[in-house]
Amino acid sequence: MFSLPDLGYGFDALEPHIDAKTMEIHHDKHHAAYVAKLNEALEKAPEELKDKKIEDLLRGLEDIPEDIRTAVRNNGGGHHNHTLFWETMKPGGAKTPQANLGEAIAYSFDSFENFKTKMAEAAMGRFGSGWAWLVNEEDKLEICSTANQDSTLTDGKTPILGLDVWEHAYYLKYQNRRPDYIEAWWNVVNWDVVASRL
Ligand code: MN
């Protein structure tokens, strides 16, 4: 059984960049629903799958019985993606990537500014619902995006930072202005948490 993790900070902690109402609905309704539906799907799963970590379920989607595979992909992905999202927006921490992470970003993307541009392009280029990701590949960092709640773990890539570009993440405050939401989101990234995932 999976459970909804606490945010670890108040719904209003990311104001004015991400508003409290959006955070409340996003965490208490959207994320909670992914957790509930994941647990519901796993009730029908073979016993050996029930104790697996969420990361292992997503890495091994092809081993999950077909009748629950889509439910685990969507809701397990939703659970893991959002858990990472909340953690990497925790207030406090460095405002820009420091030390090893700063070096890895400079090595992989030439500069922090160029990295931000590429990440925003991935987020804008995702048609409809999905995510933009910074992933840790073997020898460098890469940017990618996934549709819906697909996890990069299923493609063998470890995410260290993710940006939710589903409309539910920004519509109340930003309506159709996804670029404004992306620009504001940089203000709430906790680079110490991202660095700890490197
Ligand atoms: Mn979301």
Side-chain angles (χ1 to χ4, degrees):
M1 285 280 283
F2 291 96
S3 55
L4 181 67
D6 286 338
L7 261 189
Y9 45 89
F11 294 128
D12 62 354
L14 306 179
E15 293 267 10
H17 308 293
I18 301 180
D19 62 288
K21 194 71 188 170
T22 295
M23 289 297 290
E24 181 180 352
I25 296 170
H26 202 171
H27 179 270
D28 286 9
K29 304 293 184 194
H30 290 277
H31 190 172
Y34 295 126
V35 172
K37 288 177 187 166
L38 173 62
N39 286 332
E40 193 182 303
L42 287 173
E43 279 174 22
K44 290 174 259 171
E47 287 305 316
E48 70 268 19
L49 286 184
K50 293 186 180 179
D51 295 328
K52 282 203 170 190
K53 284 168 50 181
I54 187 65
E55 289 86 354
D56 293 331
L57 289 173
L58 295 168
R59 283 192 190 103
L61 266 190
E62 71 277 10
D63 300 327
I64 292 178
E66 218 171 334
D67 63 325
I68 60 167
R69 193 181 301 154
T70 300
V72 172
R73 174 180 174 176
N74 290 339
N75 298 296
H79 174 42
H80 187 258
N81 292 342
H82 286 87
T83 300
L84 183 144
F85 190 54
W86 312 135
E87 288 174 3
T88 47
M89 297 194 296
K90 192 176 194 313
K95 295 289 173 207
T96 55
Q98 304 292 305
N100 288 354
L101 178 62
E103 284 167 27
I105 284 176
Y107 171 75
S108 304
F109 306 103
D110 295 326
S111 68
F112 180 51
E113 281 310 309
N114 195 44
F115 155 71
K116 284 171 70 178
T117 301
K118 298 275 189 228
M119 186 83 177
E121 283 171 5
M124 283 307 298
R126 170 51 57 192
F127 183 77
S129 298
W131 293 74
W133 299 103
L134 177 64
V135 298
N136 194 5
E137 285 291 273
E138 267 175 34
D139 57 346
K140 66 192 322 197
L141 299 174
E142 285 182 10
I143 287 168
C144 63
S145 83
T146 59
N148 305 312
Q149 293 298 352
D150 287 354
S151 170
T152 65
L153 291 171
T154 307
D155 300 324
K157 300 173 180 176
T158 302
I160 66 169
L161 177 65
L163 170 55
D164 188 346
V165 293
W166 282 59
E167 284 186 346
H168 69 222
Y170 62 86
Y171 206 84
L172 287 181
K173 184 177 173 80
Y174 296 97
Q175 293 84 50
N176 62 325
R177 303 187 309 277
R178 190 187 286 188
D180 292 353
Y181 158 68
I182 296 169
E183 189 60 36
W185 174 74
W186 292 115
N187 293 294
V188 298
V189 175
N190 183 322
W191 290 103
D192 288 342
V193 176
V194 181
S196 74
R197 296 177 162 271
L198 194 61

